[in-house]
Amino acid sequence: MLYAIISQDVGNSLAKRKSVRDQHIARPDELKNQGRLVLAGPHPAVDSPDPGEAGFTGSLIIAEFESQQAAQEWADADPYIDAGVYASVVVKPFKRVLP
């Protein structure tokens, strides 16, 4: 089943994001290589694809997992958590309707 992993950043998270970005990106890349990733990306803090120093306010990943528990365990192991980037992470089942 698909699950949405919705993360909210702490304030001024850009430096923390940059410090572990490579480790963070490697994880959804692995899901992509396994054919389990639907989409992934951050929420810019301003209305721009490149927010510069404004940074980001969170992230969204939609991917396939065996169960909500498996999705939660995967989300809990994100390097952004250990680096203090995320203030909260919510994992919800997701039903794809379109496209």
Side-chain angles (χ1 to χ4, degrees), residues 3-53:
Y3 294 89
I5 301 169
I6 307 158
S7 307
Q8 183 70 37
D9 282 20
V10 299
N12 301 313
S13 63
L14 188 57
K16 292 176 182 180
R17 275 180 169 268
K18 288 179 178 180
S19 73
V20 292
R21 184 176 187 278
D22 290 342
Q23 297 95 314
H24 168 77
I25 294 297
R27 300 178 76 245
D29 271 346
E30 184 177 326
L31 293 175
K32 178 184 168 192
N33 293 339
Q34 295 169 353
R36 298 169 45 202
L37 182 66
V38 174
L39 65 86
H43 301 285
V46 295
D47 190 10
S48 172
D50 181 4
E53 291 302 311

Side-chain angles (χ1 to χ4, degrees), residues 80-94:
Y80 278 179
I81 291 175
D82 289 339
V85 173
Y86 291 152
S88 65
V89 178
V90 175
V91 177
K92 296 181 175 186
F94 181 81

